[in-house]
């Protein structure tokens, strides 16, 4: 069964872009263009996640967020053109789980939607699948196994731990120092060059084209990021 997203957004063009990307990732999307009806839908029905604009006709996003939180813990992702810190603080204080500023990357929005749904399902015990899926790549944390196109990939212990850590924290840039401390530990022998060596080994094993990585990106001058 597809996970259902409620999208409360009065900009038709933006809502259609969001819907198209989410539907391409196998979500079912219901769009509401004004606040009052959006609030009624959010309270009366069950959704996997709610995407909410702030500036809406009828009832604004802040009030909708406040009312939803009186009865539901459904993840709420605010998408707004309001850029001031006070607006972000207010939204998060009212119970929103995340705040995305317009204009945004549809791919990043989709990744955040997936992450918040997965986190909510883990916290509520609704998730039956603890494995991680990224296109043709599957990572099984408990079994410590990795598959690409259904074929098992052999990884050494540290390679697996490094890949798993990056995959469990998608779209976040980690420096080589941070990764070395996290995977090898502060007291380990070696240096951050070890990270680069293992990243290259992992790419050779999981990337369709290692020289043009699909999963593990190099962010020059900053570190590495797993692209969800």
């Amino acid at each position: 069964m597809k996970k259902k997203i409620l999208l409360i957004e009065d900009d038709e063009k933006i809502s259609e872009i969001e819907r198209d990307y989410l539907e391409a990732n196998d979500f079912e999307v219901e769009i509401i263009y004004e606040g009052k009806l959006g609030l009624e839908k959010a309270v009366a029905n069950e959704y996997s996640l709610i995407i909410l604009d702030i500036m809406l006709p009828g009832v604004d996003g802040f009030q909708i967020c406040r009312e939803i939180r009186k009865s539901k813990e459904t993840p709420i992702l605010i998408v707004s053109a309001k850029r001031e810190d006070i607006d972000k603080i207010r939204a998060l204080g009212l119970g929103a789980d995340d705040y995305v500023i317009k204009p945004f990357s549809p791919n990043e929005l989709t990744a955040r939607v997936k992450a918040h749904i997965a986190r909510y399902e883990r916290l509520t015990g609704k998730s039956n699948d603890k494995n991680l899926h990224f296109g043709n790549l599957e990572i099984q944390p408990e079994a410590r196994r990795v598959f690409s196109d259904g074929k098992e990939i052999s990884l050494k212990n540290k390679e697996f731990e490094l890949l798993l850590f990056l995959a469990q924290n998608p779209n976040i840039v980690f420096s080589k120092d941070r990764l070395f401390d996290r995977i090898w530990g502060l007291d380990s022998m070696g240096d951050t060059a070890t990270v680069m060596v293992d990243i290259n080994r992992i790419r050779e094993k999981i990337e369709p084209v290692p020289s043009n990585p699909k999963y593990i990106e190099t962010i020059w001058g900053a570190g590495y990021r797993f692209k969800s």
Side-chain angles (χ1 to χ4, degrees):
M1 175 186 273
K2 291 185 178 181
K3 292 178 171 59
K4 192 169 184 179
I5 307 295
L6 175 63
L7 173 55
I8 309 175
E9 166 66 70
D10 65 330
D11 188 312
E12 186 173 341
K13 183 176 181 180
I14 290 177
S15 64
E16 288 178 353
I17 291 172
E18 292 174 322
R19 180 197 60 200
D20 290 347
Y21 272 81
L22 289 166
E23 289 183 345
N25 282 269
D26 211 31
F27 290 104
E28 181 182 344
V29 181
E30 180 177 0
I31 302 176
I32 302 297
Y33 295 102
E34 58 96 12
K36 184 179 179 182
L37 180 58
L39 175 57
E40 292 174 356
K41 288 278 189 179
V43 173
N45 300 286
E46 295 299 324
Y47 298 95
S48 295
L49 181 137
I50 297 167
I51 298 176
L52 177 62
D53 189 15
I54 290 178
M55 295 179 287
L56 294 163
V59 180
D60 70 28
F62 290 128
Q63 187 173 345
I64 292 173
C65 188
R66 181 189 296 112
E67 292 300 316
I68 291 172
R69 280 293 173 255
K70 290 180 179 179
S71 60
K72 292 180 178 290
E73 296 298 325
T74 307
I76 298 174
L77 198 160
I78 299 287
V79 179
S80 175
K82 295 173 77 68
R83 310 177 68 90
E84 298 297 324
D85 286 345
I86 188 65
D87 295 308
K88 301 176 191 176
I89 293 168
R90 184 181 179 190
L92 296 172
L94 289 170
D97 296 276
D98 205 348
Y99 195 107
V100 178
I101 297 173
K102 300 176 183 177
F104 56 87
S105 160
N107 282 323
E108 180 183 353
L109 179 69
T110 302
R112 293 192 187 214
V113 166
K114 290 180 178 179
H116 283 293
I117 290 176
R119 184 176 297 114
Y120 178 71
E121 290 181 341
R122 286 196 300 271
L123 290 173
T124 58
K126 294 181 179 180
S127 177
N128 294 320
D129 187 2
K130 297 180 181 180
N131 299 331
L132 304 176
H133 302 270
F134 305 95
N136 296 327
L137 182 68
E138 178 182 356
I139 304 171
Q140 299 180 354
E142 293 186 354
R144 298 181 69 82
R145 303 175 75 183
V146 178
F147 295 85
S148 179
D149 288 322
K151 180 180 178 181
E152 185 165 6
I153 305 299
S154 177
L155 295 178
K156 295 180 179 179
N157 185 48
K158 293 301 183 184
E159 292 172 357
F160 179 85
E161 290 179 7
L162 180 56
L163 173 61
L164 179 61
F165 177 73
L166 289 169
Q168 288 178 329
N169 298 277
N171 303 312
I172 299 174
V173 179
F174 292 98
S175 68
K176 287 187 287 186
D177 287 335
R178 175 86 182 275
L179 291 172
F180 185 80
D181 291 346
R182 176 64 178 78
I183 305 302
W184 283 266
L186 292 170
D187 298 327
S188 297
M189 298 294 291
D191 55 36
T192 56
T194 305
V195 176
M196 182 177 65
V197 170
D198 272 29
I199 289 287
N200 288 335
R201 287 174 177 167
I202 295 168
R203 283 174 172 163
E204 290 291 336
K205 295 176 180 180
I206 71 167
E207 297 283 1
V209 183
S211 60
N212 184 23
K214 175 182 177 181
Y215 299 112
I216 302 178
E217 298 179 302
T218 298
I219 309 302
W220 296 108
Y224 299 99
R225 174 176 63 195
F226 190 94
K227 186 176 179 181
S228 171

